Amino acid sequence: MAGKVFFSVSMSLDGFIAPASLGDLMGRQWMELQQWVFPLRFFRENLQLGEGGEEGRDNDIARETFERTGASVMGKRMFDAGEKMWPDKAPFHTPVFVVTHEKRDPWERPGGTTFHFVNDGIETALGQAREAAGDRDVRIAGGGATILEYVNAGLIDEFSIALSPVLFGSGIRLFEGVDASKVALEPVRSEPSSRVTHLTYTVHPR
């Protein structure tokens, strides 16, 4: 189990990663939050949006994040939202383990993504994801509540934030409810681009 467990999200300057309502996904605020990724060559390739797109450090980071990921874990809320929006070839191209109370057979999609539904908690989901990922990393894809569960359980090794110059005012805060008494952070790098600032931290027990 050589791989790391990490998450990587876009965050507003006031600490939000998504609107509170699923109905507001793809709305103006969310689109502004994610605006750095839409023009990227890798993003366009991965979602089969056509040729072309921007290269540069933002594009490199998006591609590196994808290439390091051997499996993903997500919560039911994120899966429900994505099931309606992802193309037939879902953009993961690896196994995805959904933490849920719903009992459901694996859902195989074209392009290498298979969703597995795990009914007995975050640690079981992570164990299955680690096995599937081999020596690559496991990404905790989201949403915010699922990321927080893994942080508070001491199961995150590293995370990256694309800090976007927008304000939400309300929504889902990345670290709302974090047990700060158990979590210590060590800065790894800070890389500004023309659209966002990429921040990376390792996580240690306090």
Side-chain angles (χ1 to χ4, degrees):
M1 294 185 182
K4 295 179 180 179
V5 181
F6 79 103
F7 67 85
S8 178
V9 295
S10 298
M11 188 177 77
S12 69
L13 284 175
D14 52 347
F16 296 96
I17 60 171
S21 169
L22 288 177
D24 291 330
L25 281 175
M26 305 300 290
R28 179 184 60 81
Q29 279 187 312
W30 189 86
M31 295 290 284
E32 289 177 354
L33 179 68
Q34 303 291 348
Q35 52 81 29
W36 71 277
V37 78
F38 295 128
L40 302 182
R41 182 183 186 91
F42 175 75
F43 179 82
R44 293 181 57 79
E45 289 174 352
N46 195 32
L47 269 73
Q48 298 183 308
L49 300 177
E51 296 182 356
E54 296 180 5
E55 302 202 18
R57 188 58 185 141
D58 284 340
N59 189 67
D60 291 345
I61 288 172
R63 186 180 297 277
E64 289 163 5
T65 301
F66 174 83
E67 290 177 347
R68 70 183 285 193
T69 302
S72 297
V73 177
M74 69 178 59
K76 183 64 161 53
R77 184 179 188 269
M78 181 176 179
F79 173 78
D80 286 344
E83 188 176 16
K84 301 169 186 175
M85 296 188 299
W86 293 317
D88 283 345
K89 290 187 178 179
F92 302 96
H93 309 295
T94 59
V96 178
F97 297 85
V98 182
V99 181
T100 177
H101 297 296
E102 177 186 11
K103 294 189 181 296
R104 179 171 170 179
D105 291 334
W107 186 40
E108 186 174 349
R109 309 302 297 144
T113 301
T114 299
F115 294 94
H116 303 270
F117 301 89
V118 182
N119 306 128
D120 47 356
I122 63 171
E123 294 194 13
T124 298
L126 179 57
Q128 292 181 19
R130 280 188 182 278
E131 184 174 354
D135 59 358
R136 295 166 72 192
D137 296 338
V138 173
R139 180 178 184 179
I140 309 303
T146 301
I147 288 172
L148 185 66
E149 282 190 83
Y150 279 97
V151 171
N152 282 341
L155 297 173
I156 298 292
D157 299 311
E158 181 180 290
F159 66 87
S160 296
I161 292 170
L163 190 62
S164 188
V166 298
L167 298 172
F168 263 42
S170 64
I172 296 175
R173 284 190 186 274
L174 176 57
F175 293 115
E176 187 73 43
V178 70
D179 188 347
S181 67
K182 295 181 179 178
V183 179
L185 305 180
E186 179 183 344
V188 175
R189 70 182 66 90
S190 173
E191 297 184 63
S193 75
S194 61
R195 292 191 175 95
V196 294
T197 300
H198 299 279
L199 305 171
T200 303
Y201 300 87
T202 55
V203 183
H204 304 287
R206 185 183 292 278

